[in-house]
Amino acid sequence: MEMEMEMVMRFPIFILFFQTIVLVPLIQSSDGLSGVELETQALLNWRTSLKNQTLDSWVFTTNNKTSHCGWFGIQCSNGGSVIEISLSNSNLEGTLGRLNFSLLPHLVHLDLSWNSLEGTIPPDIGSLLNLTFLDLSHNELSGSIPNTFFSGLRKLQILNLTRNHIGGQIPTSLVNLTKLHDLRLGYNSFTGPIPEQLGFVFSLQILELYENPLLVGPIPGSLGQLQKLQRLDISSCNLSSNIPPQIGDMKELIEISLSMNLLYGPIPPSIGNLTKLTTLDLSYNQLSGALPSEIGNLGLLTSLDVSNNTLGGSLPRTLSHLWKLEMFFIESNVFSGTIPVDIFEHVQLLGADLSFNSFSGTLPLGICRGNKLINFSASHNNFSGPLPEDLKNCTSVAWFVVEKNHLEGKVFEAFGSHPDLMIVDLSGNQFSGYIPENIDETMPSLTFLQLGNNHMVGTIPSTIHKMRDLVVLDLSGNNFTGTIPTSLPNMGYFMISNNNIMGTIPNSVGNMTNLVVFDVSGNRLSGVIPSGLGKCQSLEVLDLSNNNMLGSIPWSLGHLGILRKLQLSNNSLSGEIPSSLRNCSGLEIIDLGENGFSGVIPTWIGGTFSLLRILRLRSNKFTGTIPQELSLLRSLQVLDLAVNNLSGEIPRTFDNFTSMAIRLRDVHSSSNGENNEAMILKKYYEETVVIATKGQALPYSRTLSLVTCMDISSNNIVGIISEELTRLVGLLVLNLSRNHLTGNIPKKISALKELESLDLSNNLLSGGIPQGISSLTFLSYLNFSNNNLSGPIPSSNQMETFHESTYSGNRYLCGFPLLKKCGVPTQVLTPIHNEDDDDDVFGIDVSAGMGFGVGFGGFFFVLAVIRPWSHAYFKFMDRIVKKLLRAS
């Protein structure tokens, strides 16, 4: 029995061995074989070249010369000739090089799509004179199509090469395929322009060239001759031209997609001739002008997408003629005016997006006529007034976004019961009212609820925990009161900043294991930071700033391994920075300002947070020296250690702050943008940091990534301002005021060309003001007051715009804008070495000394020469001395 099983298992191996060793040589010397036998050998020869043997049924049988007609994917004519090969999605791996197409002269249908075939397309496919169907789509084919490829395929009707890596120019020989009605070349790497000759393949009904980013040039006007064309898709290429007016000649067109190109100019009015059109997609181009009124002629149109262009003006009233319109996307243009009253009077919309335009007036009425509306967005416009009345009965709606308009009214009175509603964004309007307690019943599928920056009142419903699908809850910037519910759903974004929420943060927040952003800043919360937050290991943003929080930072926060932003500023927190935060190595912002933290600044901060952009420890009770290890923070843009009890000198290694030593304006102008994760986070949370600049504290949010600042003011720092600091040429703000700094202002401070705010006041600095400081043309705030500076004030460019208070408290300074003039003649004050500004002061000292010496020496010279004067002078001095002795 075991021997029989072994023979059965070995039998397929024997067959394969026989085919490879015996049959292949036979194929190579095929003289005398019939055409059918040659077809069989051609197929087997190709099978042996494939990397994986998946065609198990392809087995040679010597006693049946037409056995191949029963193989998987093979169909034959009555005479036994192969007329069809259909091996779509058969896990084939290999090339087409070993398939001798010249031995398959009767082949009509060839489908090898959805496999892993690679290499080039063999030229001898062109010998298949009877071929009508060729589908090689969804493979890994490469190379180009030779111009002679189509010379023999005169019967070809369908050609599909979609989703390969085929390059080179589209062959002009396509014009020979007079029976071709379906040409699909999308998702490849074709180069050059679209050949004019395509317009002479008059039989074409489908033309797909989409996703060929190396296709350039214009859309040929010759395509207008394709009178039978029904589908035209040239999207996601790199075409640049007007839309040719000849497009209106293709009157059989049902679908057009020209999206994601560089097309410019107006939409041609001739497009109104395409009365059979159901889909028109011109999105993501550079089209301009008005939407032509002729679009109203497209009575069968169901989808219109002209989004992301520069189209403008008012919408034509003829849009109301599009009675079958279901999808209407015009977002991200410059449309203005009001929405025509009757535009949606007869349609039954499924989706509409009017966002990012300049529309005014009220939202269009009838948007939910027929109760089919699924998606509606009108964000970032100037709409005013209440929400449409028919919204209350719109049970079909799933997405309703109208953020950043001027809409008003008691918002939840406009809504009804919406079982499928998932996304609601009403933020940035003037809505009022409160969130109903039964929102979990009226909107049970809600995933995104954004009501930020309105005039909402009331409390956070206690039933919120029943909304199991809730991902984003944004109630920030309203007038909500009450407390944070003790039970919350396991959402990802919980944002209630800038309200009047009181009480404590419940420790049950630790159950929110999906939490990404927890922002409760700007409220009246008290109590300690709950240790349960340490369980929220998906947390990236923790913002408790501007509250009344007490106690220390819990050790458990060190468990937040992917935390990026820790903002605890402006509370009443105390204690030292826990070393457990070393585990949060991905931190980008640490803001502990305006608290009562104490101890030394940990040295491990420098070696741990390689991504740290902002370190703000301002207004605390930190002591000790500034750790040199902070200079390891190469990504640091903002260092704020002001108003503490720090001592020692400024580390000379601070010139290692790479992000302060480059001009961030240049970096961001050439940036390729942010990754998707960062963009998603930014959509729901906007980081804000207060930076002291130009003599005042200013919040930075949208422009925070462009700010570079070093503020070590109001400490006990000693020593000099080292020249190393002047290498931080990207600094916008430098504040070293209210310390005990000595020495001169470095001459190379003029290298800080980006400086907008410079404050060195209330120190012990001496010497002159470097002349080169007048070259800092961005400088709008300057304070040198209360030092020991001397000499003339530079008098050019920005320096002439500052008030005298900029220099007050420096008794030896002179020149504009001070009243004190520099009285020493110019030639005396001119330094011997022009490159050293301090020589000015030295010249003044030498002149004064010489004057004193000459005057004093001259006086005694007179006494020595004129004896009576000498006698009288010494007698007078003798009397003065005697009186002083008696007084003592």
Side-chain angles (χ1 to χ4, degrees):
M1 184 67 180
E2 292 180 0
M3 184 177 295
E4 292 177 358
M5 287 294 294
E6 184 176 355
M7 290 296 293
V8 170
M9 293 176 66
R10 289 182 177 179
F11 183 74
I13 299 175
F14 170 78
I15 293 298
L16 181 59
F17 175 81
F18 174 79
Q19 292 177 178
T20 305
I21 303 301
V22 178
L23 187 59
V24 171
L26 185 62
I27 293 173
Q28 294 172 349
S29 56
S30 55
D31 293 342
L33 296 179
S34 67
V36 171
E37 291 172 325
L38 290 175
E39 288 180 345
T40 302
Q41 292 176 8
L43 293 174
L44 288 175
N45 192 35
W46 179 54
R47 187 214 176 193
T48 59
S49 72
L50 297 176
K51 295 180 180 178
N52 56 339
Q53 300 297 323
T54 59
L55 303 175
D56 296 331
S57 66
W58 287 27
V59 179
F60 177 73
T61 305
T62 55
N63 59 359
N64 185 354
K65 295 183 179 180
T66 61
S67 62
H68 63 281
C69 295
W71 291 353
F72 171 75
I74 303 297
Q75 288 191 24
C76 297
S77 65
N78 292 334
S81 297
V82 176
I83 59 173
E84 180 174 335
I85 301 176
S86 294
L87 295 174
S88 177
N89 200 19
S90 298
N91 297 315
L92 303 180
E93 295 182 19
T95 69
L96 294 173
R98 293 282 297 275
L99 181 54
N100 192 341
F101 290 100
S102 63
L103 299 179
L104 301 167
H106 303 286
L107 196 63
V108 175
H109 186 108
L110 177 60
D111 186 357
L112 301 176
S113 60
W114 294 94
N115 284 290
S116 299
L117 298 173
E118 56 189 11
T120 59
I121 300 173
D124 63 340
I125 289 183
S127 64
L128 301 175
L129 302 182
N130 293 304
L131 197 67
T132 62
F133 182 98
L134 176 58
D135 190 348
L136 303 177
S137 64
H138 296 85
N139 278 286
E140 304 293 331
L141 299 172
S142 57
S144 59
I145 303 175
N147 227 340
T148 57
F149 179 76
F150 300 111
S151 57
L153 302 178
R154 299 302 179 93
K155 294 183 180 181
L156 196 65
Q157 298 176 16
I158 295 175
L159 174 60
N160 191 351
L161 302 178
T162 305
R163 271 197 183 270
N164 280 284
H165 308 293
I166 302 169
Q169 294 195 355
I170 298 173
T172 57
S173 57
L174 275 167
V175 72
N176 297 325
L177 306 182
T178 56
K179 295 185 178 181
L180 190 68
H181 60 74
D182 192 337
L183 178 60
R184 304 176 191 237
L185 304 179
Y187 234 113
N188 277 286
S189 302
F190 289 108
T191 60
I194 299 173
E196 289 275 350
Q197 287 82 352
L198 267 180
F200 302 108
V201 187
F202 301 124
S203 56
L204 272 180
Q205 297 176 21
I206 295 175
L207 176 57
E208 292 182 354
L209 303 175
Y210 65 88
E211 290 286 352
N212 278 283
L214 300 179
L215 274 182
V216 296
I219 298 175
S222 63
L223 295 185
Q225 300 178 95
L226 302 178
Q227 300 292 311
K228 296 181 180 180
L229 200 66
Q230 298 177 11
R231 173 178 170 79
L232 175 63
D233 190 344
I234 322 180
S235 60
S236 300
C237 294
N238 203 20
L239 304 176
S240 57
S241 70
N242 293 83
I243 299 175
Q246 294 92 331
I247 200 169
D249 297 335
M250 296 186 283
K251 296 183 180 180
E252 295 298 315
L253 271 175
I254 297 173
E255 299 178 30
I256 298 178
S257 180
L258 305 178
S259 66
M260 292 185 161
N261 280 286
L262 302 173
L263 302 176
Y264 53 83
I267 299 173
S270 62
I271 208 159
N273 298 336
L274 307 179
T275 55
K276 294 184 179 181
L277 208 60
T278 62
T279 301
L280 176 60
D281 187 354
L282 306 178
S283 62
Y284 289 92
N285 279 288
Q286 299 169 11
L287 300 172
S288 57
L291 200 61
S293 60
E294 287 80 0
I295 280 184
N297 299 336
L298 309 180
L300 299 180
L301 202 65
T302 59
S303 177
L304 173 61
D305 190 349
V306 295
S307 61
N308 292 276
N309 281 284
T310 56
L311 298 167
S314 300
L315 296 181
R317 296 186 64 87
T318 55
L319 287 175
S320 61
H321 300 162
L322 306 180
W323 290 1
K324 294 193 174 184
L325 196 63
E326 297 177 348
M327 312 296 286
F328 183 56
F329 300 126
I330 60 173
E331 75 271 16
S332 299
N333 279 285
V334 289
F335 289 116
S336 58
T338 59
I339 305 294
V341 176
D342 55 351
I343 190 172
F344 301 128
E345 184 176 354
H346 304 291
V347 303
Q348 296 186 359
L349 280 180
L350 297 177
D353 195 340
L354 318 177
S355 57
F356 292 95
N357 281 287
S358 299
F359 289 118
S360 56
T362 59
L363 289 172
L365 301 174
I367 58 173
C368 199
R369 198 178 304 277
N371 197 22
K372 290 186 176 181
L373 185 70
I374 297 174
N375 170 19
F376 180 78
S377 178
S379 64
H380 296 267
N381 279 284
N382 297 310
F383 288 115
S384 57
L387 295 175
E389 291 183 5
D390 63 343
L391 181 61
K392 183 180 289 289
N393 300 318
C394 194
T395 57
S396 61
V397 68
W399 180 311
F400 191 81
V401 176
V402 291
E403 64 173 319
K404 294 194 176 177
N405 281 281
H406 307 293
L407 300 167
E408 58 188 13
K410 294 185 176 180
V411 61
F412 283 97
E413 292 183 6
F415 283 93
S417 179
H418 305 282
D420 299 321
L421 188 59
M422 295 186 294
I423 296 176
V424 175
D425 190 347
L426 310 177
S427 57
N429 282 283
Q430 299 170 21
F431 289 120
S432 57
Y434 59 91
I435 303 174
E437 191 71 19
N438 66 338
I439 189 173
D440 61 304
E441 298 174 357
T442 58
M443 299 178 180
S445 302
L446 209 59
T447 57
F448 293 75
L449 178 58
Q450 295 175 261
L451 302 174
N453 298 302
N454 280 286
H455 305 302
M456 305 289 294
V457 295
T459 61
I460 303 172
S462 59
T463 55
I464 199 84
H465 70 278
K466 297 180 181 179
M467 304 179 73
R468 303 296 184 187
D469 296 327
L470 199 62
V471 175
V472 174
L473 178 63
D474 182 3
L475 308 181
S476 58
N478 281 282
N479 296 311
F480 286 106
T481 55
T483 60
I484 299 175
T486 54
S487 183
L488 293 168
N490 193 7
M491 68 185 80
Y493 297 79
F494 181 71
M495 297 167 291
I496 60 170
S497 64
N498 298 308
N499 281 284
N500 292 303
I501 307 295
M502 297 187 296
T504 61
I505 301 172
N507 201 50
S508 58
V509 73
N511 298 327
M512 301 169 70
T513 54
N514 294 330
L515 199 60
V516 176
V517 173
F518 188 71
D519 183 3
V520 296
S521 62
N523 281 284
R524 293 192 283 169
L525 295 168
S526 56
V528 300
I529 300 173
S531 59
L533 276 170
K535 299 178 182 178
C536 304
Q537 296 189 20
S538 297
L539 200 63
E540 295 185 32
V541 174
L542 177 59
D543 193 343
L544 312 181
S545 60
N546 298 293
N547 279 289
N548 301 312
M549 307 297 296
L550 302 169
S552 59
I553 298 175
W555 185 269
S556 62
L557 294 193
H559 297 150
L560 305 178
I562 62 172
L563 192 66
R564 297 169 61 180
K565 298 171 176 61
L566 176 62
Q567 297 188 258
L568 306 177
S569 62
N570 200 19
N571 279 285
S572 298
L573 298 168
S574 57
E576 298 185 358
I577 299 175
S579 60
S580 62
L581 288 183
R582 300 177 72 168
N583 299 323
C584 307
S585 58
L587 273 169
E588 299 173 14
I589 295 178
I590 299 177
D591 187 355
L592 309 182
E594 293 87 23
N595 278 287
F597 290 113
S598 57
V600 298
I601 298 174
T603 57
W604 47 260
I605 288 180
T608 302
F609 305 120
S610 60
L611 302 177
L612 196 66
R613 296 185 290 112
I614 296 169
L615 177 60
R616 189 172 181 273
L617 306 179
R618 182 186 190 87
S619 297
N620 280 286
K621 299 177 181 178
F622 289 109
T623 56
T625 59
I626 301 173
Q628 289 198 18
E629 290 80 359
L630 293 185
S631 59
L632 298 174
L633 302 173
R634 302 298 178 88
S635 300
L636 200 66
Q637 294 174 218
V638 175
L639 176 64
D640 191 346
L641 308 178
V643 197
N644 279 285
N645 296 314
L646 300 172
S647 56
E649 299 184 356
I650 301 172
R652 290 180 177 267
T653 54
F654 271 14
D655 59 342
N656 290 329
F657 292 139
T658 305
S659 290
M660 296 185 189
I662 56 177
R663 294 177 174 86
L664 292 181
R665 291 187 182 96
D666 299 336
V667 173
H668 283 261
S669 64
S670 61
S671 172
N672 291 324
E674 299 171 293
N675 59 41
N676 290 335
E677 183 181 351
M679 290 176 67
I680 292 171
L681 184 62
K682 184 173 285 188
K683 176 173 175 56
Y684 299 116
Y685 174 79
E686 187 172 68
E687 59 192 23
T688 301
V689 172
V690 175
I691 295 175
T693 176
K694 302 179 183 180
Q696 55 185 328
L698 299 173
Y700 284 82
S701 52
R702 292 183 180 179
T703 59
L704 182 58
S705 61
L706 297 174
V707 176
T708 48
C709 168
M710 182 181 293
D711 191 344
I712 316 179
S713 61
S714 300
N715 280 286
N716 298 310
I717 304 299
V718 297
I720 63 170
I721 303 174
S722 65
E723 284 199 355
E724 282 80 2
L725 283 184
T726 64
R727 296 174 187 168
L728 304 179
V729 296
L731 272 179
L732 271 63
V733 178
L734 177 61
N735 191 345
L736 306 178
S737 66
R738 298 185 181 278
N739 281 290
H740 307 297
L741 296 171
T742 57
N744 299 334
I745 300 173
K747 293 179 296 180
K748 292 184 179 179
I749 201 166
S750 58
L752 305 181
K753 301 296 185 183
E754 301 292 305
L755 267 187
E756 297 177 2
S757 178
L758 174 62
D759 193 345
L760 304 180
S761 64
N762 293 281
N763 278 288
L764 303 172
L765 299 173
S766 58
I769 299 175
Q771 182 69 35
I773 203 168
S774 60
S775 66
L776 305 182
T777 53
F778 288 123
L779 200 61
S780 58
Y781 179 84
L782 179 66
N783 194 348
F784 285 156
S785 64
N786 299 307
N787 279 286
N788 296 318
L789 300 173
S790 58
I793 297 171
S795 57
S796 61
N797 297 331
Q798 297 290 97
M799 303 302 290
E800 297 185 359
T801 66
F802 297 119
H803 190 263
E804 61 180 328
S805 59
T806 299
Y807 311 103
S808 63
N810 292 279
R811 60 184 301 184
Y812 297 113
L813 280 180
C814 60
F816 183 84
L818 299 178
L819 296 177
K820 183 179 180 181
K821 306 300 180 183
C822 299
V824 181
T826 305
Q827 63 270 23
V828 178
L829 291 176
T830 302
I832 297 173
H833 301 288
N834 293 331
E835 68 274 9
D836 192 347
D837 294 306
D838 292 341
D839 287 350
D840 290 348
V841 180
F842 178 74
I844 295 173
D845 293 340
V846 170
S847 300
M850 289 176 65
F852 177 79
V854 170
F856 192 72
F859 174 73
F860 280 98
F861 176 79
V862 171
L863 294 180
V865 173
I866 306 174
R867 304 289 295 186
W869 288 17
S870 173
H871 180 74
Y873 172 77
F874 287 111
K875 187 175 181 180
F876 172 77
M877 291 300 297
D878 184 62
R879 290 177 181 175
I880 294 296
V881 171
K882 288 180 178 178
K883 285 184 177 182
L884 290 173
L885 290 173
R886 290 196 198 100
S888 61

